[in-house]
C-alpha cells in the first residue's frame, strides 16, 4: 500500500461535502472511496426572549433558541439547574431576592462554545422606610423649620407629604406630594428646609406614587382643637417610597408647632 495525501481541499461551511477518491493502478484496475464531511466554523448562536432587568416575581421562565443542536447548560447564581441537548431553551428560574446571575452555555458537535450571561433583579418586598427630623418634633411658630433625613430601598423614589389641621376632619388623598427625591445607592435620602406650615402646593397631579401603600387609603387628618385659642398645631408628615417595580412603603410622624405665648410645653429651642 502507498500512503498519499491531499491538502487544501476546499469544502463549503455548514453543508454536507462529498469527497470521492479514485485510484487506478498501471494495469487499469480502479478503486473508489467516497465519504462525506460537514464543516463547522462558527459558534452556536444563543437567542433569548426579552426578560425584565427588574421583576416583582420570584419565578420566571427563560425562553430562547440555539442556532444548532448543542449541549446546553443553564446556570443560576453559579449553580447548574438544567443540562440538555437540543435547540430549544425553556427553563424555569427560581430567583432569590436581589440580583441573580443567569449563564447559558451552548457547545455544538464541533466543540465550539458560546456563553450568554444576564442579570435579573428580583424585588418581591415593599420598601421599608424610616426617617427623622434633624431639629426634633417641637417648634415655635415662625421658627418651625428642619431638614428630614431617612433611609429606604436604594434607587426608590421618595415622596414627602405634610398635612395640616383644618376646622373639620378630612381624608389625606396623597395625590400632591410637596417634594420628590430619589434614594441613593445606599438607600439614603434627604429633604432640606421643611417648614411648618409648608409652602403652597406647586406640584403637578402626577407628583405621586403609582399606588398608595396599604394602610393609608383611609387616613383621616383630625380637625383643629381649641379653635378659640390655637396655642398648639399638629402637622402630620408622611414619607412614601416607591421602588423600581411600583411597590410602595411608608413611614409617618407628627410635629407640634406652638405659639410664642404658650408656656405649658417643655422642649429645647
Amino acid at each position: 500500500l502507498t500512503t498519499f495525501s491531499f491538502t487544501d481541499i476546499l469544502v463549503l461551511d455548514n453543508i454536507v461535502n462529498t469527497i470521492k477518491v479514485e485510484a487506478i493502478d498501471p494495469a487499469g484496475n480502479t478503486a473508489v472511496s467516497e465519504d462525506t464531511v460537514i464543516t463547522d466554523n462558527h459558534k452556536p448562536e444563543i437567542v433569548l426572549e426579552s426578560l425584565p432587568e427588574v421583576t416583582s416575581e420570584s419565578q420566571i421562565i427563560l425562553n430562547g433558541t440555539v442556532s444548532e443542536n448543542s449541549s446546553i447548560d443553564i446556570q443560576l447564581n453559579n449553580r447548574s439547574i438544567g443540562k440538555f441537548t437540543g435547540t430549544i431553551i425553556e427553563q424555569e428560574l427560581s430567583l432569590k431576592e436581589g440580583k441573580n446571575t443567569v449563564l447559558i452555555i451552548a457547545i455544538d458537535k464541533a466543540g465550539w462554545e458560546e456563553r450568554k450571561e444576564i442579570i435579573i433583579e428580583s424585588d418581591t418586598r415593599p420598601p421599608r422606610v424610616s426617617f427623622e427630623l434633624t431639629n426634633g418634633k417641637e417648634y415655635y411658630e415662625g421658627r418651625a423649620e428642619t431638614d428630614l433625613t431617612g433611609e429606604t430601598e436604594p434607587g426608590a423614589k421618595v415622596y414627602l407629604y405634610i398635612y395640616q389641621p383644618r376646622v373639620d376632619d378630612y381624608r389625606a388623598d396623597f395625590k400632591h406630594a410637596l417634594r420628590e427625591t430619589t434614594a441613593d445607592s445606599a438607600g439614603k435620602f434627604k429633604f432640606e428646609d421643611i417648614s411648618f406650615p409648608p409652602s403652597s402646593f406647586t406640584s403637578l397631579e402626577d407628583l405621586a406614587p403609582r399606588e398608595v401603600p396599604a394602610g393609608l387609603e383611609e387616613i383621616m387628618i383630625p380637625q383643629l382643637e381649641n379653635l378659640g385659642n390655637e396655642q398648639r398645631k399638629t402637622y402630620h408628615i408622611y414619607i412614601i417610597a416607591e421602588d423600581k417595580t411600583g411597590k410602595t412603603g411608608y413611614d409617618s410622624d407628627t410635629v407640634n408647632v406652638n405659639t410664642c405665648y404658650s408656656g405649658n410645653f417643655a422642649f429645647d429651642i
Side-chain angles (χ1 to χ4, degrees):
L1 295 177
T2 301
T3 301
F4 62 90
S5 64
F6 297 98
T7 60
D8 298 327
I9 299 174
L10 178 64
V11 291
L12 301 179
D13 189 28
N14 288 327
I15 67 170
V16 178
N17 296 268
T18 301
I19 299 177
K20 181 178 180 180
V21 178
E22 182 176 350
I24 304 175
D25 66 13
N29 298 309
T30 301
V32 177
S33 179
E34 186 175 298
D35 206 347
T36 59
V37 175
I38 300 176
T39 62
D40 183 355
N41 297 323
H42 300 287
K43 295 180 179 180
E45 182 181 359
I46 301 171
V47 178
L48 301 177
E49 293 185 7
S50 178
L51 287 171
E53 293 183 2
V54 181
T55 178
S56 59
E57 305 296 327
S58 60
Q59 290 187 324
I60 61 174
I61 301 297
L62 175 70
N63 289 306
T65 59
V66 179
S67 58
E68 58 184 294
N69 200 51
S70 304
S71 297
I72 300 170
D73 182 15
I74 299 176
Q75 298 181 11
L76 176 61
N77 298 322
N78 298 317
R79 182 176 64 88
S80 180
I81 59 171
K83 290 184 177 181
F84 53 93
T85 300
T87 60
I88 304 298
I89 297 173
E90 185 176 356
Q91 180 69 47
E92 183 177 75
L93 305 177
S94 296
L95 305 175
K96 68 177 183 179
E97 192 76 10
K99 291 186 177 180
N100 296 262
T101 301
V102 183
L103 176 64
I104 302 96
I105 305 172
I107 304 176
D108 66 15
K109 293 180 179 179
W112 291 105
E113 179 179 308
E114 177 68 347
R115 292 173 173 241
K116 179 162 286 191
E117 183 178 281
I118 55 176
I119 304 295
I120 304 172
E121 183 176 351
S122 176
D123 185 355
T124 64
R125 304 167 186 164
R128 294 183 178 181
V129 187
S130 62
F131 71 88
E132 63 180 20
L133 303 168
T134 57
N135 291 339
K137 302 179 184 181
E138 297 284 344
Y139 300 88
Y140 274 130
E141 195 173 55
R143 288 176 286 175
E145 190 172 284
T146 185
D147 293 341
L148 182 153
T149 60
E151 187 172 357
T152 186
E153 187 175 305
K157 289 184 178 181
V158 183
Y159 300 88
L160 166 66
Y161 298 85
I162 299 176
Y163 291 102
Q164 51 189 322
R166 303 189 313 205
V167 296
D168 60 338
D169 296 341
Y170 68 98
R171 178 175 286 106
D173 59 15
F174 299 101
K175 290 183 178 180
H176 293 277
L178 281 173
R179 301 189 198 174
E180 176 192 10
T181 190
T182 301
D184 64 18
S185 59
K188 307 290 186 180
F189 64 88
K190 184 177 184 179
F191 293 105
E192 297 181 331
D193 301 328
I194 300 170
S195 59
F196 306 97
S199 57
S200 301
F201 284 109
T202 58
S203 61
L204 300 175
E205 178 74 17
D206 60 356
L207 189 56
R210 283 170 278 182
E211 64 178 31
V212 175
L216 292 187
E217 300 93 335
E218 303 296 328
I219 287 292
M220 299 295 294
I221 306 301
Q223 66 181 11
L224 283 168
E225 297 181 2
N226 301 322
L227 295 180
N229 186 20
E230 297 177 14
Q231 295 184 347
R232 184 179 177 95
K233 291 181 180 178
T234 300
Y235 293 85
H236 301 262
I237 305 172
Y238 293 90
I239 296 291
I240 296 179
E242 179 184 57
D243 67 16
K244 297 174 184 177
T245 64
K247 296 188 300 301
T248 52
Y250 77 96
D251 192 13
S252 63
D253 209 339
T254 58
V255 162
N256 296 314
V257 177
N258 304 277
T259 60
C260 292
Y261 53 83
S262 175
N264 296 324
F265 308 107
F267 56 87
D268 295 328
I269 302 175

